[in-house]
mmCIF file of all heavy atoms in Angstrom:
data_model
loop_
_atom_site.group_PDB
_atom_site.id
_atom_site.type_symbol
_atom_site.label_atom_id
_atom_site.label_comp_id
_atom_site.label_asym_id
_atom_site.label_seq_id
_atom_site.Cartn_x
_atom_site.Cartn_y
_atom_site.Cartn_z
ATOM 1 N N PHE B 189 97.711 90.840 132.580
ATOM 2 C CA PHE B 189 99.017 91.447 132.353
ATOM 3 C C PHE B 189 98.945 92.934 132.683
ATOM 4 O O PHE B 189 97.995 93.616 132.331
ATOM 5 C CB PHE B 189 99.449 91.275 130.899
ATOM 6 C CG PHE B 189 99.863 89.876 130.532
ATOM 7 C CD1 PHE B 189 99.550 88.782 131.315
ATOM 8 C CD2 PHE B 189 100.578 89.645 129.385
ATOM 9 C CE1 PHE B 189 99.930 87.493 130.980
ATOM 10 C CE2 PHE B 189 100.973 88.363 129.021
ATOM 11 C CZ PHE B 189 100.639 87.290 129.825
ATOM 12 N N SER B 190 99.985 93.423 133.327
ATOM 13 C CA SER B 190 100.054 94.847 133.664
ATOM 14 C C SER B 190 100.644 95.632 132.492
ATOM 15 O O SER B 190 101.180 95.047 131.546
ATOM 16 C CB SER B 190 100.935 95.029 134.901
ATOM 17 O OG SER B 190 102.274 94.717 134.579
ATOM 18 N N ASP B 193 104.138 94.677 132.017
ATOM 19 C CA ASP B 193 104.269 93.411 131.279
ATOM 20 C C ASP B 193 104.200 93.678 129.781
ATOM 21 O O ASP B 193 105.002 93.152 129.003
ATOM 22 C CB ASP B 193 103.164 92.424 131.660
ATOM 23 C CG ASP B 193 103.278 91.901 133.075
ATOM 24 O OD1 ASP B 193 104.415 91.782 133.584
ATOM 25 O OD2 ASP B 193 102.230 91.609 133.672
ATOM 26 N N HIS B 194 103.233 94.489 129.382
ATOM 27 C CA HIS B 194 103.080 94.806 127.954
ATOM 28 C C HIS B 194 104.339 95.506 127.432
ATOM 29 O O HIS B 194 104.808 95.209 126.334
ATOM 30 C CB HIS B 194 101.854 95.681 127.718
ATOM 31 C CG HIS B 194 100.553 94.967 127.928
ATOM 32 N ND1 HIS B 194 100.255 93.745 127.372
ATOM 33 C CD2 HIS B 194 99.461 95.324 128.644
ATOM 34 C CE1 HIS B 194 99.041 93.380 127.727
ATOM 35 N NE2 HIS B 194 98.534 94.326 128.510
ATOM 36 N N LEU B 195 104.878 96.421 128.202
ATOM 37 C CA LEU B 195 106.108 97.114 127.791
ATOM 38 C C LEU B 195 107.270 96.130 127.673
ATOM 39 O O LEU B 195 108.074 96.214 126.737
ATOM 40 C CB LEU B 195 106.441 98.230 128.776
ATOM 41 C CG LEU B 195 105.478 99.408 128.799
ATOM 42 C CD1 LEU B 195 105.765 100.312 129.992
ATOM 43 C CD2 LEU B 195 105.526 100.183 127.505
ATOM 44 N N TRP B 196 107.358 95.190 128.594
ATOM 45 C CA TRP B 196 108.437 94.196 128.577
ATOM 46 C C TRP B 196 108.351 93.322 127.320
ATOM 47 O O TRP B 196 109.339 93.136 126.610
ATOM 48 C CB TRP B 196 108.364 93.324 129.835
ATOM 49 C CG TRP B 196 109.271 92.131 129.778
ATOM 50 C CD1 TRP B 196 108.914 90.840 129.553
ATOM 51 C CD2 TRP B 196 110.696 92.125 129.907
ATOM 52 N NE1 TRP B 196 110.015 90.034 129.547
ATOM 53 C CE2 TRP B 196 111.127 90.792 129.766
ATOM 54 C CE3 TRP B 196 111.640 93.126 130.143
ATOM 55 C CZ2 TRP B 196 112.469 90.425 129.845
ATOM 56 C CZ3 TRP B 196 112.975 92.753 130.215
ATOM 57 C CH2 TRP B 196 113.368 91.422 130.069
ATOM 58 N N PHE B 197 107.169 92.783 127.033
ATOM 59 C CA PHE B 197 107.026 91.910 125.868
ATOM 60 C C PHE B 197 107.207 92.689 124.566
ATOM 61 O O PHE B 197 107.757 92.168 123.593
ATOM 62 C CB PHE B 197 105.688 91.176 125.896
ATOM 63 C CG PHE B 197 105.619 90.114 126.970
ATOM 64 C CD1 PHE B 197 104.664 90.171 127.967
ATOM 65 C CD2 PHE B 197 106.538 89.066 126.987
ATOM 66 C CE1 PHE B 197 104.605 89.204 128.959
ATOM 67 C CE2 PHE B 197 106.493 88.089 127.977
ATOM 68 C CZ PHE B 197 105.524 88.155 128.964
ATOM 69 N N MET B 198 106.787 93.959 124.547
ATOM 70 C CA MET B 198 107.021 94.772 123.345
ATOM 71 C C MET B 198 108.515 95.019 123.163
ATOM 72 O O MET B 198 109.005 95.089 122.032
ATOM 73 C CB MET B 198 106.253 96.086 123.419
ATOM 74 C CG MET B 198 106.328 96.890 122.127
ATOM 75 S SD MET B 198 105.667 96.027 120.671
ATOM 76 C CE MET B 198 103.921 96.124 121.012
ATOM 77 N N SER B 199 109.265 95.124 124.249
ATOM 78 C CA SER B 199 110.728 95.271 124.144
ATOM 79 C C SER B 199 111.344 94.047 123.480
ATOM 80 O O SER B 199 112.280 94.166 122.684
ATOM 81 C CB SER B 199 111.343 95.460 125.531
ATOM 82 O OG SER B 199 110.930 96.671 126.084
ATOM 83 N N ALA B 201 109.748 92.098 121.334
ATOM 84 C CA ALA B 201 109.365 92.209 119.926
ATOM 85 C C ALA B 201 110.275 93.208 119.207
ATOM 86 O O ALA B 201 110.681 92.980 118.060
ATOM 87 C CB ALA B 201 107.901 92.635 119.803
ATOM 88 N N GLY B 217 108.968 92.936 114.360
ATOM 89 C CA GLY B 217 109.154 91.785 115.229
ATOM 90 C C GLY B 217 107.864 91.459 115.949
ATOM 91 O O GLY B 217 107.029 92.327 116.170
ATOM 92 N N ALA B 218 107.709 90.170 116.300
ATOM 93 C CA ALA B 218 106.505 89.727 116.997
ATOM 94 C C ALA B 218 106.859 88.691 118.053
ATOM 95 O O ALA B 218 107.848 87.968 117.924
ATOM 96 C CB ALA B 218 105.496 89.146 116.011
ATOM 97 N N VAL B 219 106.034 88.649 119.080
ATOM 98 C CA VAL B 219 106.189 87.700 120.182
ATOM 99 C C VAL B 219 104.802 87.173 120.521
ATOM 100 O O VAL B 219 103.851 87.952 120.624
ATOM 101 C CB VAL B 219 106.803 88.384 121.427
ATOM 102 C CG1 VAL B 219 106.884 87.416 122.597
ATOM 103 C CG2 VAL B 219 108.168 88.953 121.120
ATOM 104 N N LEU B 220 104.695 85.855 120.701
ATOM 105 C CA LEU B 220 103.448 85.241 121.135
ATOM 106 C C LEU B 220 103.636 84.752 122.568
ATOM 107 O O LEU B 220 104.584 84.014 122.852
ATOM 108 C CB LEU B 220 103.069 84.074 120.222
ATOM 109 C CG LEU B 220 101.719 83.419 120.518
ATOM 110 C CD1 LEU B 220 100.568 84.389 120.225
ATOM 111 C CD2 LEU B 220 101.556 82.145 119.707
ATOM 112 N N VAL B 221 102.742 85.184 123.445
ATOM 113 C CA VAL B 221 102.874 84.916 124.875
ATOM 114 C C VAL B 221 101.656 84.123 125.366
ATOM 115 O O VAL B 221 100.516 84.464 125.051
ATOM 116 C CB VAL B 221 102.995 86.242 125.657
ATOM 117 C CG1 VAL B 221 103.116 85.994 127.147
ATOM 118 C CG2 VAL B 221 104.189 87.048 125.151
ATOM 119 N N GLN B 231 109.654 86.047 116.546
ATOM 120 C CA GLN B 231 110.089 86.024 115.151
ATOM 121 C C GLN B 231 110.160 87.443 114.607
ATOM 122 O O GLN B 231 109.655 88.377 115.218
ATOM 123 C CB GLN B 231 109.098 85.225 114.281
ATOM 124 C CG GLN B 231 109.178 83.741 114.406
ATOM 125 C CD GLN B 231 110.402 83.165 113.703
ATOM 126 O OE1 GLN B 231 111.029 83.824 112.880
ATOM 127 N NE2 GLN B 231 110.741 81.936 114.035
ATOM 128 N N ALA B 245 105.959 88.595 110.450
ATOM 129 C CA ALA B 245 106.328 88.172 111.804
ATOM 130 C C ALA B 245 105.128 87.598 112.563
ATOM 131 O O ALA B 245 105.254 86.589 113.268
ATOM 132 C CB ALA B 245 106.933 89.347 112.563
ATOM 133 N N GLU B 246 103.963 88.223 112.401
ATOM 134 C CA GLU B 246 102.773 87.771 113.115
ATOM 135 C C GLU B 246 102.392 86.348 112.731
ATOM 136 O O GLU B 246 102.103 85.502 113.584
ATOM 137 C CB GLU B 246 101.576 88.694 112.833
ATOM 138 C CG GLU B 246 101.780 90.131 113.227
ATOM 139 C CD GLU B 246 102.228 91.002 112.056
ATOM 140 O OE1 GLU B 246 103.220 90.648 111.380
ATOM 141 O OE2 GLU B 246 101.597 92.042 111.824
ATOM 142 N N VAL B 249 104.905 83.763 114.144
ATOM 143 C CA VAL B 249 104.763 83.412 115.561
ATOM 144 C C VAL B 249 103.502 82.592 115.811
ATOM 145 O O VAL B 249 103.501 81.715 116.684
ATOM 146 C CB VAL B 249 104.833 84.621 116.539
ATOM 147 C CG1 VAL B 249 106.181 85.287 116.502
ATOM 148 C CG2 VAL B 249 103.709 85.590 116.350
ATOM 149 N N ILE B 266 98.498 86.194 123.872
ATOM 150 C CA ILE B 266 98.615 87.590 123.444
ATOM 151 C C ILE B 266 99.743 87.684 122.428
ATOM 152 O O ILE B 266 100.826 87.146 122.638
ATOM 153 C CB ILE B 266 98.891 88.526 124.637
ATOM 154 C CG1 ILE B 266 97.741 88.449 125.649
ATOM 155 C CG2 ILE B 266 99.085 89.972 124.160
ATOM 156 C CD1 ILE B 266 97.954 89.285 126.898
ATOM 157 N N LEU B 267 99.462 88.340 121.318
ATOM 158 C CA LEU B 267 100.463 88.542 120.280
ATOM 159 C C LEU B 267 100.920 89.995 120.328
ATOM 160 O O LEU B 267 100.101 90.909 120.256
ATOM 161 C CB LEU B 267 99.882 88.206 118.907
ATOM 162 C CG LEU B 267 100.890 88.081 117.784
ATOM 163 C CD1 LEU B 267 100.374 87.103 116.731
ATOM 164 C CD2 LEU B 267 101.232 89.398 117.141
ATOM 165 N N TYR B 268 102.222 90.196 120.482
ATOM 166 C CA TYR B 268 102.844 91.523 120.477
ATOM 167 C C TYR B 268 103.541 91.697 119.143
ATOM 168 O O TYR B 268 104.268 90.802 118.703
ATOM 169 C CB TYR B 268 103.875 91.640 121.613
ATOM 170 C CG TYR B 268 103.254 91.589 122.976
ATOM 171 C CD1 TYR B 268 103.000 90.374 123.601
ATOM 172 C CD2 TYR B 268 102.895 92.760 123.638
ATOM 173 C CE1 TYR B 268 102.397 90.323 124.845
ATOM 174 C CE2 TYR B 268 102.298 92.711 124.891
ATOM 175 C CZ TYR B 268 102.053 91.488 125.485
ATOM 176 O OH TYR B 268 101.453 91.443 126.715
ATOM 177 N N VAL B 269 103.352 92.838 118.508
ATOM 178 C CA VAL B 269 104.002 93.112 117.230
ATOM 179 C C VAL B 269 104.343 94.599 117.162
ATOM 180 O O VAL B 269 103.596 95.441 117.651
ATOM 181 C CB VAL B 269 103.113 92.650 116.045
ATOM 182 C CG1 VAL B 269 101.786 93.390 116.001
ATOM 183 C CG2 VAL B 269 103.861 92.744 114.726
ATOM 184 N N THR B 270 105.483 94.897 116.568
ATOM 185 C CA THR B 270 105.987 96.272 116.580
ATOM 186 C C THR B 270 105.276 97.198 115.599
ATOM 187 O O THR B 270 105.414 98.410 115.700
ATOM 188 C CB THR B 270 107.498 96.287 116.288
ATOM 189 O OG1 THR B 270 107.742 95.635 115.036
ATOM 190 C CG2 THR B 270 108.270 95.588 117.398
ATOM 191 N N LEU B 271 104.525 96.635 114.657
ATOM 192 C CA LEU B 271 103.804 97.447 113.674
ATOM 193 C C LEU B 271 102.354 96.983 113.620
ATOM 194 O O LEU B 271 102.083 95.772 113.683
ATOM 195 C CB LEU B 271 104.447 97.309 112.292
ATOM 196 C CG LEU B 271 103.838 98.114 111.150
ATOM 197 C CD1 LEU B 271 103.968 99.613 111.400
ATOM 198 C CD2 LEU B 271 104.504 97.743 109.824
ATOM 199 N N ARG B 287 93.679 85.940 122.254
ATOM 200 C CA ARG B 287 92.890 86.772 123.163
ATOM 201 C C ARG B 287 93.077 88.256 122.858
ATOM 202 O O ARG B 287 92.148 89.049 122.958
ATOM 203 C CB ARG B 287 93.295 86.518 124.612
ATOM 204 C CG ARG B 287 92.540 87.423 125.582
ATOM 205 C CD ARG B 287 92.852 87.146 127.009
ATOM 206 N NE ARG B 287 94.174 87.670 127.336
ATOM 207 C CZ ARG B 287 94.675 87.692 128.549
ATOM 208 N NH1 ARG B 287 94.011 87.197 129.551
ATOM 209 N NH2 ARG B 287 95.858 88.189 128.773
ATOM 210 N N GLN B 288 94.329 88.641 122.497
ATOM 211 C CA GLN B 288 94.610 90.065 122.326
ATOM 212 C C GLN B 288 95.813 90.256 121.409
ATOM 213 O O GLN B 288 96.735 89.440 121.390
ATOM 214 C CB GLN B 288 94.909 90.697 123.682
ATOM 215 C CG GLN B 288 95.130 92.190 123.618
ATOM 216 C CD GLN B 288 95.339 92.789 124.995
ATOM 217 O OE1 GLN B 288 95.917 92.162 125.881
ATOM 218 N NE2 GLN B 288 94.875 94.015 125.182
ATOM 219 N N CYS B 289 95.782 91.363 120.678
ATOM 220 C CA CYS B 289 96.933 91.812 119.893
ATOM 221 C C CYS B 289 97.361 93.155 120.471
ATOM 222 O O CYS B 289 96.544 94.053 120.654
ATOM 223 C CB CYS B 289 96.555 91.973 118.430
ATOM 224 S SG CYS B 289 97.849 92.759 117.441
ATOM 225 N N VAL B 290 98.654 93.265 120.749
ATOM 226 C CA VAL B 290 99.233 94.515 121.242
ATOM 227 C C VAL B 290 100.269 94.944 120.213
ATOM 228 O O VAL B 290 101.182 94.182 119.914
ATOM 229 C CB VAL B 290 99.894 94.306 122.624
ATOM 230 C CG1 VAL B 290 100.523 95.606 123.116
ATOM 231 C CG2 VAL B 290 98.892 93.775 123.636
ATOM 232 N N PHE B 291 100.108 96.142 119.649
ATOM 233 C CA PHE B 291 101.073 96.589 118.644
ATOM 234 C C PHE B 291 101.702 97.915 119.027
ATOM 235 O O PHE B 291 101.190 98.652 119.858
ATOM 236 C CB PHE B 291 100.457 96.626 117.239
ATOM 237 C CG PHE B 291 99.418 97.693 117.014
ATOM 238 C CD1 PHE B 291 99.777 98.975 116.617
ATOM 239 C CD2 PHE B 291 98.073 97.401 117.160
ATOM 240 C CE1 PHE B 291 98.828 99.950 116.389
ATOM 241 C CE2 PHE B 291 97.099 98.371 116.934
ATOM 242 C CZ PHE B 291 97.476 99.641 116.539
ATOM 243 N N GLY B 292 102.829 98.193 118.383
ATOM 244 C CA GLY B 292 103.592 99.402 118.656
ATOM 245 C C GLY B 292 103.200 100.552 117.752
ATOM 246 O O GLY B 292 102.341 101.372 118.083
ATOM 247 N N MET B 320 95.282 96.502 121.347
ATOM 248 C CA MET B 320 95.835 97.662 122.038
ATOM 249 C C MET B 320 96.964 98.199 121.169
ATOM 250 O O MET B 320 97.872 97.456 120.808
ATOM 251 C CB MET B 320 96.382 97.246 123.412
ATOM 252 C CG MET B 320 96.953 98.400 124.212
ATOM 253 S SD MET B 320 97.832 97.895 125.721
ATOM 254 C CE MET B 320 96.749 96.742 126.464
ATOM 255 N N ILE B 323 101.828 100.945 122.041
ATOM 256 C CA ILE B 323 102.811 100.575 123.060
ATOM 257 C C ILE B 323 104.211 100.703 122.453
ATOM 258 O O ILE B 323 104.510 100.075 121.447
ATOM 259 C CB ILE B 323 102.575 99.133 123.573
ATOM 260 C CG1 ILE B 323 101.197 98.994 124.209
ATOM 261 C CG2 ILE B 323 103.676 98.696 124.537
ATOM 262 C CD1 ILE B 323 101.002 99.785 125.487
#
Side-chain angles (χ1 to χ4, degrees):
F189 287 16
S190 68
D193 292 329
H194 290 311
L195 292 169
W196 170 256
F197 289 120
M198 187 60 74
S199 294
V219 177
L220 184 67
V221 179
Q231 284 286 344
E246 300 96 308
V249 296
I266 299 177
L267 193 151
Y268 294 86
V269 62
T270 56
L271 181 64
R287 177 177 75 173
Q288 184 176 34
C289 171
V290 179
F291 69 87
M320 181 189 313
I323 299 294

